[in-house]
């Protein structure tokens, strides 16, 4: 609404813009769900589901493959922080391009909040990338599946929360699975290093905090995803650049990557692009079908990533990986179940016994007849 005042003639001119002009594009219609220029609202639910699942699986499987491929380049493992710097630069560019495609370009979230989010984002992605210099890729993925553990610990010690039996069992299954998987990795992996476990654990803690901070900031200030990406990653880029400059880690990394720019910067570009596209489909999946479907799909994706890692990249294998991984999957299921008890009804022991008795009776009756 525009108000125009005239001092000589005291009147007010009121101009009411059209509906599409008055509203920000990212809140223009709750029914419009656009991902990579595709308006998913035009399709039925089943088609939307298959498009979102295909997008998550395709882009994130490529993302995981390229991430491990980068660290398989000889001599690259010490430069995990530089990879994160390049990744943040690409994410900032992608966010800026996406922001230019919408009409409302105002920054809604305060700068101080973005400084906190950027710091947590640096911790999450930087420590995660750097941990691959010390861990097998499957071990890193298993750890990333267990974000519930630091979330619960923070809830208990910081907020005094109480959790139900399903959540506690989920955390125990994840913890046991992690311990077993890590012990198996330390036994069969010749390059196992406890530093990688510490790095990925710290990354998990930062990841557990950042989700709550981002969600609260976006809901409170009604900010778009593109705004969040642009400012959090661009500020994070400055953090990492300052850190690498002060620790003299920037020069050696640039020198190393310039020797083979196709395999370093080329892989980093594809790594960043597929990660950016993948999160777009995850957000669409959450918006359309809810967190239950999203968690199920992303968990399946992580399992496929681990399998593909053993197929495409030579590494030692033991069946302890399988049993410990199944424990983690059980923990994830219990966590999802605890948050969706009203939607998921598991049969009680009484129901199972009654069903068994009915089956036996029907079998006996059939034999009698």
């Amino acid at each position: 609404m525009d108000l125009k005042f005239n001092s000589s003639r005291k009147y007010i001119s009121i101009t009411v813009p059209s509906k599409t002009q008055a509203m920000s594009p990212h809140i223009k219609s709750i029914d419009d769900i656009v991902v990579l220029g595709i308006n998913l609202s035009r399709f039925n639910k089943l088609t939307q589901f298959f498009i979102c699942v295909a997008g998550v699986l395709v882009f994130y499987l490529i993302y995981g493959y390229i991430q491990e491929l980068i660290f398989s380049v000889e001599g690259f493992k010490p430069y995990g922080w530089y990879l994160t710097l390049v990744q943040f630069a690409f994410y900032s560019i992608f966010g800026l391009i996406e922001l230019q495609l919408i009409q409302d370009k105002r920054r809604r979230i305060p700068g101080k909040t973005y400084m906190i989010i950027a710091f947590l984002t640096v911790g999450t992605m930087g420590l995660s990338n750097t941990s691959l210099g010390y861990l097998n890729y499957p071990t890193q993925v298993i750890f990333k599946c267990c974000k519930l553990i630091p979330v619960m610990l923070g809830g208990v010690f910081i907020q005094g929360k109480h959790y139900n039996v399903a959540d506690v069992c989920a955390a125990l299954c994840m913890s046991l699975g992690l311990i077993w998987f890590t012990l198996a990795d330390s036994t069969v992996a010749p390059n196992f290093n406890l530093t990688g476990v510490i790095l990925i654990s710290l990354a998990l803690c930062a990841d557990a905090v950042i989700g709550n901070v981002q969600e609260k900031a976006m809901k409170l200030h009604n900010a778009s995803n593109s705004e969040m990406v642009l400012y959090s990653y661009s500020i994070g880029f400055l953090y990492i650049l300052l850190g690498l400059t002060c620790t003299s880690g920037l020069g050696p990394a640039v020198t190393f990557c310039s020797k083979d720019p196709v395999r370093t910067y080329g892989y980093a570009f594809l790594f960043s692009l597929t990660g950016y596209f993948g999160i777009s489909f995850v957000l669409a999946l959450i918006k359309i079908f809810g967190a239950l479907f999203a968690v199920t799909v992303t968990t399946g994706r992580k399992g496929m990533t681990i399998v593909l890692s053993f197929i495409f990249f030579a590494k030692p294998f033991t069946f302890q990986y399988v049993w410990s991984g199944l424990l983690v999957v059980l923990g994830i299921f219990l966590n999802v179940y605890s948050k969706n008890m009203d939607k998921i009804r598991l049969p009680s022991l009484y129901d199972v016994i009654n069903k068994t008795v009915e089956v036996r009776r029907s079998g006996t009756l059939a034999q009698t007849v």
Side-chain angles (χ1 to χ4, degrees):
M1 179 181 292
D2 296 330
L3 301 180
K4 298 179 180 179
F5 296 90
N6 191 304
S7 58
S8 58
R9 296 180 182 181
K10 296 181 178 180
Y11 69 90
I12 300 177
S13 175
I14 301 177
T15 303
V16 180
S18 65
K19 184 178 180 180
T20 56
Q21 292 175 331
M23 302 182 71
S24 173
H26 60 272
I27 57 173
K28 182 166 57 179
S29 172
I30 58 174
D31 297 322
D32 285 343
I33 302 173
V34 181
V35 180
L36 305 183
I38 304 173
N39 191 347
L40 298 181
S41 307
R42 300 175 182 174
F43 305 100
N44 58 40
K45 287 286 184 180
L46 184 61
T47 306
Q48 290 176 349
F49 177 75
F50 280 116
I51 291 175
C52 290
V53 170
V56 171
L57 293 180
V58 170
F59 288 117
Y60 268 122
L61 287 177
I62 297 174
Y63 175 87
Y65 174 80
I66 296 176
Q67 185 180 30
E68 190 167 6
L69 187 64
I70 293 173
F71 280 91
S72 67
V73 175
E74 187 176 356
F76 188 83
K77 287 187 175 181
Y79 305 119
W81 278 108
Y82 183 69
L83 173 63
T84 311
L85 177 73
V86 176
Q87 186 180 7
F88 273 48
F90 281 128
Y91 275 27
S92 301
I93 295 171
F94 298 152
L96 180 62
I97 293 173
E98 187 177 358
L99 195 64
Q100 298 307 310
L101 300 178
I102 65 176
Q103 296 175 3
D104 190 356
K105 301 179 178 62
R106 293 174 298 169
R107 177 173 60 82
R108 296 173 178 268
I109 299 177
K112 291 182 179 179
T113 304
Y114 272 127
M115 294 178 71
I116 297 173
I117 293 174
F119 179 79
L120 293 171
T121 306
V122 168
T124 299
M125 300 183 67
L127 293 172
S128 179
N129 286 337
T130 307
S131 68
L132 273 180
Y134 305 93
L135 293 176
N136 276 336
Y137 184 76
T139 307
Q140 190 219 44
V141 174
I142 284 290
F143 267 87
K144 291 168 83 171
C145 289
C146 301
K147 189 168 64 174
L148 171 69
I149 297 174
V151 170
M152 285 186 63
L153 291 175
V156 171
F157 293 107
I158 298 175
Q159 302 183 45
K161 285 186 176 181
H162 297 281
Y163 293 94
N164 57 34
V165 177
D167 279 327
V168 174
C169 291
L172 287 176
C173 287
M174 289 182 182
S175 300
L176 291 174
L178 278 179
I179 293 171
W180 200 0
F181 204 98
T182 305
L183 288 175
D185 201 28
S186 64
T187 303
V188 301
N191 59 341
F192 178 82
N193 193 319
L194 190 60
T195 304
V197 175
I198 297 173
L199 290 174
I200 193 63
S201 300
L202 292 175
L204 271 184
C205 294
D207 193 25
V209 176
I210 192 175
N212 295 323
V213 177
Q214 283 179 329
E215 183 180 1
K216 182 178 179 180
M218 293 183 73
K219 286 184 177 180
L220 182 63
H221 302 284
N222 196 26
S224 64
N225 292 336
S226 54
E227 178 196 327
M228 175 65 69
V229 170
L230 173 62
Y231 288 99
S232 59
Y233 284 100
S234 58
I235 296 174
F237 173 84
L238 296 178
Y239 285 163
I240 301 174
L241 182 63
L242 179 63
L244 287 176
T245 304
C246 293
T247 57
S248 302
L250 185 62
V254 173
T255 302
F256 175 84
C257 292
S258 61
K259 294 178 182 178
D260 193 355
V262 175
R263 296 182 65 196
T264 52
Y265 293 114
Y267 288 167
F269 172 76
L270 295 175
F271 172 64
S272 305
L273 186 66
T274 51
Y276 191 85
F277 287 167
I279 192 62
S280 300
F281 281 103
V282 170
L283 293 174
L285 197 63
I286 293 173
K287 188 173 183 180
I288 300 172
F289 298 99
L292 175 61
F293 277 103
V295 169
T296 304
V297 173
T298 53
T299 302
R301 188 274 304 177
K302 289 173 183 175
M304 292 175 64
T305 302
I306 293 175
V307 173
L308 291 176
S309 174
F310 280 106
I311 293 175
F312 289 107
F313 298 93
K315 55 174 63 68
F317 177 79
T318 173
F319 273 101
Q320 290 184 28
Y321 284 145
V322 178
W323 313 132
S324 54
L326 289 176
L327 265 179
V328 172
V329 171
L330 176 61
I332 293 172
F333 170 76
L334 290 173
N335 180 33
V336 172
Y337 170 70
S338 69
K339 291 178 171 56
N340 297 272
M341 287 184 175
D342 54 334
K343 299 178 183 178
I344 305 175
R345 184 180 179 273
L346 295 178
S348 63
L349 182 61
Y350 178 78
D351 293 334
V352 173
I353 294 174
N354 278 347
K355 187 68 175 177
T356 305
V357 172
E358 288 177 5
V359 171
R360 288 182 178 178
R361 284 178 179 175
S362 61
T364 305
L365 180 61
Q367 291 175 2
T368 304
V369 174

